[in-house]
Amino acid sequence: MRIVSKQTLCVGWILLWLVVLPTAHGKQLTVLTYHDVVTEFNGDMFSVTRSEFVAQMDHLYNNNYHVISLSELKVYEKYPEQMPEKTIILTFDDGLKSYGEFVVPLLKIYGFPSVASIVTGWLDDQDIPREYHTKLMNWATLKKLNNEPLVEIVSHSNNLHRGVRANPQDIYEAAGVTRMYLAETQTYETETQFRQRISKDLQTSATRLRQELGIVTDTIVWPYGLYDEVIIDEAKKLGFVYQLSLDDGPTGLNQLPKLNRIMLLAKQSITDFANELTYASLKNLRTQMIEISLDTFTGKSLKEKEQLLSDALDRHQKLGANTLVISPFDKPGKQAFFYNRQTPIATDILSRVINSFRSKLAIRYVFLKLPAQQPATDPSTTYEDLARLVKFNGVIFAPNTRAHDILTIRQTINRFKSNIRYGVYGIQKNPFRNDFVVAPINPNEPIRKTREALAPLKDDGETIYYLAVQNTNDNKGFFEKAEQTFDFLDARHIGYKLLTQKAAASIKLEQQKSEPTKQALEQAPPEHASSEHATPKQAIPEQAIPEQATPKQTTPKQTTPEQTTPEQPKQKNSQTGNTVATQTPVTGG
């Protein structure tokens, strides 16, 4: 699955944060997803070659993996003790010709069942992605495959496998989870309009499968692997029970009817494939975060905003981050950076920035940092719009946020997103159990003092993300000290909050005010020109991080695309689930 681009295609991901491997009844399974299986590599990273596919099926067969159908899974759901270890489900998205011509005949040899997810609108010549014009099966071929005992055909939506306009900046995102931006009224789809659009699409898909193939499916494979609680609710109303996404990690029987999936990509060795099956990359995932502020975007022209965004991307591109921390409100907490019906809007830029960081810097996770003082007495409407319109993976509360506000915000967000991770910023705790803690540190402080201050966090069993906060213009010294502190703390999950250009300029100005100018030194008597009055070093521009000062890039190999980005074949949209200002397609599921 991939997402199309109009002028720009951006994708948001809905993923689990630092996967907690499920252990339902001690039983879990792995679901694999493929797209095209080609004769030889053609540059499409979301396809695999025939030789690669055969080698992978050999690996499953020779290593005693049990490949089952969705129908068998439903039996194991009732009788979990009967499900064998190393259970696998094979899925094939988009209905490509290679599935019928090569995959199904090959899988017969192994005795492996498989699942084909079909975008019914494409078979009816509706919005077919450019790259798929000659690659899709037709209804006649599907009718023949439907008679194969090892083949199951399910819905991949009717016409949700595409991009729709997501914001004023003309960015396009996955149709299934995006409330469309309506340029004529400069507003967004209401929840009623969104629900009606989703319901109509899923109903059409179910109807076309029944009309053409005579099947009634209870399974939906979400385009690009993206979903929220609203579309799940609409799907359930229409009889769709089982939902396949691109969430990370194995599927525990206790999480059914939701199934996570691994997307297989081109040029993976058998060792890579074996590691995918055991989730080795996820288990060793190290978080490396960056925190940015949007306050400088307020009151700027469109051109100025684009320049600020470009500068921010340049400033952070060498940090190897996979996680973005960003506030949806200005520093006082009185104005929002996203469209909403309650709080004054500083500028509707949040989604644009998030999408840019995801596509340009391969950011996988986005955490929203919330202010302690809420923008309204009852902020539920504001946070409802935040949850509806912005794609994020976690929320970070200020340590002194009122318990009532935390409860209201969590309940509101959970109505739209069920897999959000919640944490707190700083050492002071809130009364709720947190999934993680973001611990800001000052690399200029003595390391032992920092460790002593953070000692209470170690006892709570929560994941700790150490965030080095820059407060001087010395980039090289900042990164060196931060790395030393991280090593001393034995920190696995780390991050950086760099000075904004405005803050850097302010520090430089203070340095100039506090020390004599070069002209004053030249006019002063020789005895005044001591070392303490030497001309200050030239401050390094924050965006110009010297190569030697760049911290080690420790981000591990990602197991899903920019999941991961939705996928609409190369016109298509991820994961990671994200393309900005580019014609380059992004893909997903």
Side-chain angles (χ1 to χ4, degrees):
M1 318 166 14
R2 316 159 200 187
I3 249 194
V4 291
S5 88
K6 181 162 181 191
Q7 178 180 7
T8 322
L9 229 221
C10 298
V11 198
W13 315 321
I14 300 181
L15 303 173
L16 296 179
W17 177 251
L18 285 181
V19 179
V20 177
L21 304 183
T23 57
H25 305 289
K27 299 287 186 177
Q28 57 189 35
L29 66 145
T30 294
V31 186
L32 305 180
T33 183
Y34 293 87
H35 291 86
D36 211 359
V37 180
V38 297
T39 304
E40 58 185 24
F41 180 63
N42 58 11
D44 181 3
M45 291 305 297
F46 294 89
S47 67
V48 299
T49 64
R50 291 186 174 187
S51 59
E52 289 170 340
F53 185 72
V54 170
Q56 291 170 4
M57 295 305 103
D58 278 344
H59 181 85
L60 295 179
Y61 187 85
N62 294 330
N63 288 276
N64 301 315
Y65 282 90
H66 299 271
V67 181
I68 67 170
S69 65
L70 282 174
S71 299
E72 290 175 285
L73 176 62
K74 295 167 188 176
V75 174
Y76 293 136
E77 185 179 10
K78 295 179 179 178
Y79 306 102
E81 68 282 354
Q82 296 182 12
M83 190 176 82
E85 299 296 326
K86 302 171 72 173
T87 293
I88 299 283
I89 292 179
L90 301 175
T91 67
F92 296 82
D93 288 356
D94 297 354
L96 296 162
K97 287 180 179 179
S98 61
Y99 176 72
E101 295 172 353
F102 178 77
V103 172
V104 172
L106 178 70
L107 294 184
K108 278 185 182 180
I109 298 174
Y110 295 95
F112 290 170
S114 61
V115 179
S117 66
I118 304 300
V119 181
T120 54
W122 291 351
L123 274 65
D124 292 331
D125 294 325
Q126 182 179 5
D127 293 331
I128 300 175
R130 181 179 62 255
E131 293 190 359
Y132 276 6
H133 278 179
T134 61
K135 292 185 176 183
L136 295 171
M137 294 185 287
N138 55 31
W139 285 117
T141 300
L142 281 176
K143 287 176 182 177
K144 294 179 181 179
L145 289 177
N146 193 40
N147 294 322
E148 294 284 349
L150 294 178
V151 171
E152 292 177 274
I153 298 174
V154 302
S155 174
H156 202 20
S157 84
N158 181 65
N159 193 30
L160 297 179
H161 210 313
R162 60 190 176 93
V164 295
R165 188 172 181 181
N167 53 43
Q169 292 80 25
D170 208 28
I171 302 301
Y172 281 66
E173 297 190 30
V177 292
T178 299
R179 279 63 174 176
M180 291 191 297
Y181 177 73
L182 309 174
E184 316 77 49
T185 59
Q186 296 185 350
T187 59
Y188 292 79
E189 265 185 319
T190 65
E191 279 308 283
T192 298
Q193 292 170 328
F194 176 73
R195 282 180 177 271
Q196 289 173 344
R197 176 166 64 85
I198 297 300
S199 179
K200 181 180 179 181
D201 184 278
L202 297 181
Q203 180 65 69
T204 300
S205 177
T207 299
R208 294 298 291 133
L209 289 173
R210 185 175 64 253
Q211 290 173 339
E212 295 291 341
L213 306 179
I215 63 174
V216 177
T217 181
D218 63 355
T219 301
I220 176 74
V221 176
W222 296 120
Y224 313 110
L226 301 178
Y227 63 93
D228 64 21
E229 293 305 300
V230 175
I231 64 172
I232 287 176
D233 184 52
E234 291 302 317
K236 287 180 178 178
K237 293 176 183 177
L238 297 172
F240 290 102
V241 178
Y242 295 89
Q243 306 140 30
L244 281 67
S245 71
L246 287 173
D247 283 353
D248 291 335
T251 298
L253 289 182
N254 62 340
Q255 77 175 69
L256 294 177
K258 294 181 182 179
L259 288 86
N260 307 337
R261 296 190 300 165
I262 298 172
M263 184 182 296
L264 278 302
L265 304 177
K267 295 187 173 295
Q268 288 183 314
S269 67
I270 284 299
T271 300
D272 294 333
F273 181 69
N275 287 336
E276 294 278 19
L277 298 177
T278 59
Y279 303 94
S281 296
L282 286 175
K283 292 174 182 176
N284 297 323
L285 181 62
R286 182 189 185 189
T287 304
Q288 191 147 317
M289 62 172 54
I290 51 178
E291 180 181 341
I292 66 171
S293 168
L294 298 179
D295 287 57
T296 54
F297 286 80
T298 302
K300 298 296 192 296
S301 67
L302 177 60
K303 182 178 180 180
E304 289 171 328
K305 290 175 186 175
E306 289 302 308
Q307 185 60 54
L308 285 171
L309 177 55
S310 177
D311 290 343
L313 291 168
D314 289 344
R315 194 159 61 246
H316 294 89
Q317 66 179 344
K318 294 182 180 181
L319 298 183
N322 55 18
T323 303
L324 174 67
V325 175
I326 187 170
S327 176
F329 302 97
D330 64 3
K331 193 170 183 179
K334 300 298 183 182
Q335 297 186 93
F337 293 114
F338 61 97
Y339 172 86
N340 72 94
R341 296 160 290 166
Q342 184 179 38
T343 301
I345 303 169
T347 178
D348 187 1
I349 195 70
L350 179 61
S351 288
R352 165 68 165 147
V353 172
I354 288 174
N355 288 330
S356 295
F357 271 79
R358 278 180 164 154
S359 67
K360 300 297 184 182
L361 303 190
I363 292 294
R364 293 184 55 155
Y365 307 101
V366 174
F367 277 22
L368 300 185
K369 182 182 175 184
L370 305 185
Q373 184 65 40
Q374 297 309 311
T377 303
D378 178 8
S380 56
T381 300
T382 297
Y383 284 102
E384 177 179 304
D385 288 331
L386 181 67
R388 291 191 318 113
L389 301 175
V390 181
K391 297 175 180 64
F392 56 94
N393 310 97
V395 167
I396 303 172
F397 290 104
N400 53 344
T401 305
R402 294 188 310 164
H404 177 268
D405 288 338
I406 293 176
L407 183 61
T408 298
I409 293 168
R410 290 176 72 143
Q411 289 176 340
T412 301
I413 291 176
N414 287 344
R415 286 195 289 113
F416 296 90
K417 303 180 188 315
S418 62
N419 56 357
I420 293 298
R421 307 285 285 175
Y422 293 98
V424 64
Y425 195 95
I427 299 176
Q428 181 181 341
K429 299 308 214 46
N430 59 45
F432 296 87
R433 174 65 183 174
N434 303 299
D435 297 307
F436 62 92
V437 174
V438 177
I441 62 175
N442 180 357
N444 289 318
E445 287 188 344
I447 294 178
R448 293 187 182 278
K449 179 181 177 181
T450 299
R451 185 171 66 174
E452 291 173 0
L454 299 177
L457 298 179
K458 294 276 190 178
D459 301 328
D460 291 339
E462 297 165 339
T463 302
I464 303 174
Y465 304 109
Y466 297 96
L467 186 71
V469 180
Q470 185 181 26
N471 53 22
T472 75
N473 237 4
D474 181 7
N475 280 324
K476 182 177 181 181
F478 168 72
F479 285 118
E480 288 179 348
K481 292 176 182 177
E483 287 293 325
Q484 292 172 4
T485 304
F486 292 148
D487 289 342
F488 190 79
L489 295 172
D490 194 24
R492 179 180 179 187
H493 307 296
I494 65 173
Y496 303 91
K497 182 178 181 180
L498 302 185
L499 285 172
T500 63
Q501 289 179 326
K502 182 177 180 181
S506 175
I507 288 177
K508 183 178 179 181
L509 181 61
E510 289 302 316
Q511 290 174 336
Q512 292 173 340
K513 286 181 178 179
S514 62
E515 299 187 33
T517 62
K518 182 178 180 181
Q519 182 180 11
L521 286 173
E522 290 174 347
Q523 296 175 351
E527 62 267 27
H528 290 170
S530 62
S531 60
E532 63 178 323
H533 290 142
T535 304
K537 291 182 180 179
Q538 178 65 36
I540 303 174
E542 58 170 342
Q543 68 271 33
I545 301 173
E547 198 69 44
Q548 68 270 26
T550 303
K552 298 172 277 190
Q553 296 192 21
T554 55
T555 306
K557 176 182 175 221
Q558 298 181 1
T559 57
T560 54
E562 222 298 347
Q563 109 239 14
T564 198
T565 309
E567 151 195 16
Q568 214 172 338
K570 296 171 179 168
Q571 188 203 64
K572 337 176 225 179
N573 202 267
S574 318
Q575 256 75 70
T576 47
N578 309 32
T579 275
V580 187
T582 175
Q583 296 271 31
T584 304
V586 194
T587 80

